[in-house]
Amino acid sequence: MRLALLVCLSTVGSVSIFGATFTVNSTADALDAAAGNGVCETATGNGICTLRAAITEANVLAGDDIITLPAGIYTNTLVGEDNSNRSGDLDINSNITINGAGSGTTFIQAAAAPGTASERVLQFLFPNITVVLNDVTIRNGREAVSLGGGVNVENFNQAVTFNNCVIRDNFSGFGGGGIALSGTRTASVALNNTIVTDNTVSGNNDRAPSPGGGGGILLNYGGTLTATNSTISNNTVTLSGSSSSLGGGIGSILGTVTLTNSTIIGNKATATAGAGTYGGGISLLSGTVNIINSNIVKNVAWNAGGGVYNQEGTLNITNSTVGENNAGFGGGISFIAVNIAAMTTVNNSAIVNNTAAEYPGGGGIGNYTEGAANAVFNLNNSTVSGNTAGVGGGISNSAGGSGNAVININFSTVAANSALRSNGQDGAGGGIYNEGEIGTGISVVNLKNSVVANNTTGTYGAGPDIRGIITSQGYNLVENTYAGIFVTTAGDEIHIDPSLGALGLNGGTTLNYLPNPGSPLIDRIPNGINGCGGFDQRGVSRPADSDMNGVAACEKGSTERASAPTAASVSVTGRILTSSGRGIANAVVAMTDPGGNTRFARTSTLGYYRFDDVQVGGTYIFTVSSKRYEFGATVRTITEETNNLNFVAP
């Protein structure tokens, strides 16, 4: 196998060191009459202040300026490429804060409809500037031959923050359909309670010496992205050409990405011809990605990494779900080393219900080396379940070059995965597939304090639980070792049923298996032995006296039976509203739980909806469908009775 390397009557008084304040009063796109005089007014006079005029004044004046942008649709109608804010996109060159009236009522757009603009919406040109945008929607930008269809952040030490914003329906012919950090390693973008959705990258990639992509967001050779309580959804990359294309949702080349309490959902990376595309949700080419308390779900990649793709970078996933993603290789997570090492660490997480193709498989996780460097994957206190591929339904590991492919599994549960080829019969390694040495490097799977059970292959398949050499580091339970090589050591048990309960939250925020009473997993690892201690997948303290014999010990696998918290249930209610505050009847609200299970509620005549029996502690994705209105997805961690979770139509 070969994977390619891839505003306005001016309210200004005297200008202070704190800058000026402008209030926009016109939705027209017209120039400021006298830039730098401290008055936002167009040539028509009468105190008319446009958004472009306000930005021009703020660009010239000293200090940190504020622009107040009332509800309205602000369309860039002055045509022409220009970097001084006189036409085309809005050029911001100084410290500015733009305060909208709400993302559902305040729109900054490059054209009235998607795909018709001649330029992007916003561009940040000068170095060392700080820009904040609050409560606006940025939409309908189009940059056919360069980066950043909606927003381009392109110089040193620029810090751009979006609070309660929406970036949607933008297009780039190369990379960063919604937002691009283009060519500077010191620029940063922060997303807080922000949605990046329905942006597109499409075109031919031959002109670039490097990969393109990032349907939602692209970090092009550096930069920093932080997303908190935000959603990256339904973005698409479809590129042809000889260079690789990265990231349906987020593409990062040598950048640093940190996602916290966020969701990457429904993004897609495909290719029409030429080299492959990688990372339906997130693609990492060197650099670092940190995913914390987040959900990477329902993304698709043409080649590898349906949820997340890591090539020669550092990927850390904590307290998160990677679920229902699809790819050719590594349906949930794919990582590869060529000439630089790749390191992936997953802690306290669930990798569930992902799908990969027949070979090289890896429905949940796929690890591969192609050159001289090593690829190392660490799986701790986590669950791998319900994944499917031709080989390695749960996990696939292959060394295809001179570097080593190493997977270390500790206190984890690999269960109910399937290896099935297209004929439905002859898969291999339903739980774990370790291919062995197909290059000069070695492939190693180390198993410690873990459970591999209840996995399947087709009728004539080989190795329902394991296929290849699995190295024991003690205190494991492997139900079926046939067609695999597993030499038992201290505390190991084989060929017995682990007696797992049903897959569920079981008091946690990510799906897991709780051992049934009397399970052979209970209290099998003595306190202080083989790493027994700390916390389980749900954050429950280890060890515990689960069998009530007066001696605390650890369970094998990802969860402790004793001391499991009892999860309360609450109700979630709200309204679906028009921008004028009128309730929308017969809208359908979908609520997806951390395991990917979705419930639906239809709104009443006045637009109210309700969900009962919602388990607390989980992070849920809410989406709304209506015949006349479009809504972005929102993510909320439910910790108590939740009222007024409202959606307002744009």
Side-chain angles (χ1 to χ4, degrees):
M1 181 195 66
R2 178 81 180 172
L3 291 179
L5 179 64
L6 309 190
V7 219
C8 101
L9 178 63
S10 174
T11 60
V12 178
S14 60
V15 178
S16 71
I17 61 172
F18 299 106
T21 298
F22 304 99
T23 299
V24 172
N25 64 7
S26 171
T27 60
D29 188 19
L31 300 174
D32 187 56
N37 67 353
V39 178
C40 174
E41 187 175 46
T42 67
T44 58
N46 300 317
I48 299 299
C49 176
T50 66
L51 175 58
R52 189 180 295 274
I55 291 173
T56 297
E57 281 293 329
N59 281 341
V60 175
L61 297 175
D64 300 343
D65 304 306
I66 298 173
I67 298 173
T68 299
L69 194 62
I73 300 175
Y74 301 85
T75 306
N76 301 341
T77 59
L78 295 177
V79 178
E81 293 190 13
D82 172 86
N83 289 333
S84 60
N85 198 45
R86 297 187 61 83
S87 62
D89 54 22
L90 299 170
D91 300 310
I92 295 181
N93 302 326
S94 67
N95 296 349
I96 298 176
T97 296
I98 299 177
N99 294 319
S103 63
T105 60
T106 308
F107 303 90
I108 307 173
Q109 59 184 31
T116 62
S118 60
E119 207 168 340
R120 64 176 67 91
V121 185
L122 290 170
Q123 181 168 228
F124 305 97
L125 290 167
F126 285 18
N128 305 308
I129 64 172
T130 299
V131 181
V132 179
L133 294 101
N134 299 316
D135 303 291
V136 299
T137 287
I138 297 168
R139 68 186 185 186
N140 300 348
R142 185 175 182 272
E143 181 53 66
V145 297
S146 188
L147 296 170
V151 178
N152 192 25
V153 181
E154 66 170 67
N155 219 317
F156 296 98
N157 299 324
Q158 293 180 334
V160 182
T161 300
F162 298 89
N163 297 315
N164 307 308
C165 292
V166 176
I167 296 97
R168 67 174 305 151
D169 295 315
N170 301 287
F171 171 91
S172 169
F174 176 48
I179 303 171
L181 287 78
S182 56
T184 170
R185 301 190 180 194
T186 59
S188 66
V189 169
L191 308 177
N192 300 307
N193 298 299
T194 289
I195 298 170
V196 180
T197 187
D198 295 310
N199 301 285
T200 302
V201 172
S202 180
N204 186 287
N205 207 12
D206 279 333
R207 58 200 158 97
S210 63
I217 304 169
L218 176 66
L219 287 73
N220 189 45
Y221 285 89
T224 300
L225 170 69
T226 60
T228 304
N229 298 320
S230 294
T231 299
I232 317 297
S233 64
N234 302 323
N235 303 285
T236 303
V237 171
T238 306
L239 287 171
S240 62
S242 59
S243 293
S244 300
S245 304
L246 305 173
I250 300 172
S252 177
I253 306 169
L254 294 170
T256 299
V257 178
T258 300
L259 307 176
T260 305
N261 296 326
S262 294
T263 294
I264 314 298
I265 182 172
N267 303 283
K268 185 179 293 186
T270 65
T272 56
T277 49
Y278 306 103
I282 306 173
S283 186
L284 164 65
L285 178 56
S286 296
T288 302
V289 169
N290 302 302
I291 301 171
I292 305 161
N293 298 327
S294 294
N295 296 292
I296 316 297
V297 294
K298 299 183 179 180
N299 304 285
V300 177
W302 182 265
N303 288 94
V308 188
Y309 176 75
N310 171 17
Q311 180 168 317
E312 302 186 335
T314 299
L315 169 65
N316 301 301
I317 302 177
T318 304
N319 295 326
S320 297
T321 295
V322 181
E324 297 185 63
N325 303 286
N326 184 287
F329 173 60
I333 303 170
S334 173
F335 51 108
I336 177 175
V338 183
N339 298 312
I340 301 172
M343 173 70 74
T344 300
T345 300
V346 176
N347 296 321
N348 306 89
S349 295
I351 302 171
V352 294
N353 301 329
N354 302 284
T355 305
E358 295 191 5
Y359 180 84
I365 300 163
N367 183 27
Y368 186 75
T369 62
E370 187 173 279
N374 299 334
V376 179
F377 183 92
N378 302 308
L379 182 72
N380 304 307
N381 293 309
S382 294
T383 295
V384 180
S385 178
N387 304 287
T388 304
V391 298
I395 300 170
S396 178
N397 190 46
S398 301
S402 59
N404 301 328
V406 180
I407 295 181
N408 301 306
I409 304 172
N410 186 28
F411 278 119
S412 293
T413 300
V414 181
N417 303 283
S418 298
L420 294 172
R421 295 188 187 271
S422 57
N423 61 13
Q425 294 185 338
D426 57 351
I432 304 172
Y433 178 84
N434 189 27
E435 188 167 15
E437 294 78 40
I438 59 175
T440 59
I442 61 173
S443 60
V444 178
V445 176
N446 296 313
L447 197 66
K448 180 178 180 180
N449 305 323
S450 294
V451 180
V452 184
N454 301 334
N455 302 286
T456 61
T457 61
T459 305
Y460 303 106
D465 285 326
I466 62 171
R467 175 71 167 172
I469 300 173
I470 309 298
T471 302
S472 174
Q473 295 182 336
Y475 292 92
N476 303 289
L477 188 152
V478 180
E479 185 176 18
N480 190 328
T481 64
Y482 297 119
I485 299 174
F486 181 80
V487 178
T488 60
T489 186
D492 285 336
E493 297 172 282
I494 60 175
H495 303 156
I496 61 174
D497 184 346
S499 186
L500 295 171
L503 184 69
L505 295 178
N506 296 312
T509 59
T510 57
L511 290 170
N512 58 82
Y513 288 98
L514 200 64
N516 288 319
S519 165
L521 305 176
I522 292 175
D523 282 9
R524 285 301 197 270
I525 310 170
N527 187 11
I529 300 299
N530 219 41
C532 174
F535 301 90
D536 76 353
Q537 179 177 334
R538 304 159 301 160
V540 172
S541 189
R542 280 191 175 116
D545 184 13
S546 297
D547 61 5
M548 302 181 67
N549 69 350
V551 179
C554 288
E555 268 78 302
K556 297 176 181 179
S558 67
T559 58
E560 290 287 295
R561 170 70 193 178
S563 304
T566 301
S569 64
V570 296
S571 297
V572 176
T573 62
R575 292 187 74 190
I576 312 303
L577 303 163
T578 66
S579 58
S580 62
R582 179 176 58 83
I584 301 174
N586 294 318
V588 176
V589 184
M591 180 183 70
T592 302
D593 67 25
N597 304 302
T598 302
R599 296 164 56 188
F600 300 92
R602 188 175 294 275
T603 58
S604 68
T605 303
L606 298 178
Y608 289 95
Y609 73 91
R610 180 184 184 95
F611 292 101
D612 292 316
D613 299 319
V614 178
Q615 195 170 43
V616 299
T619 301
Y620 295 81
I621 306 164
F622 294 85
T623 57
V624 181
S625 300
S626 173
K627 291 183 178 180
R628 295 181 55 193
Y629 303 93
E630 293 184 358
F631 300 82
T634 192
V635 180
R636 181 71 63 89
T637 299
I638 304 300
T639 60
E640 60 186 2
E641 199 81 10
T642 302
N643 301 313
N644 300 317
L645 183 54
N646 300 336
F647 294 79
V648 180

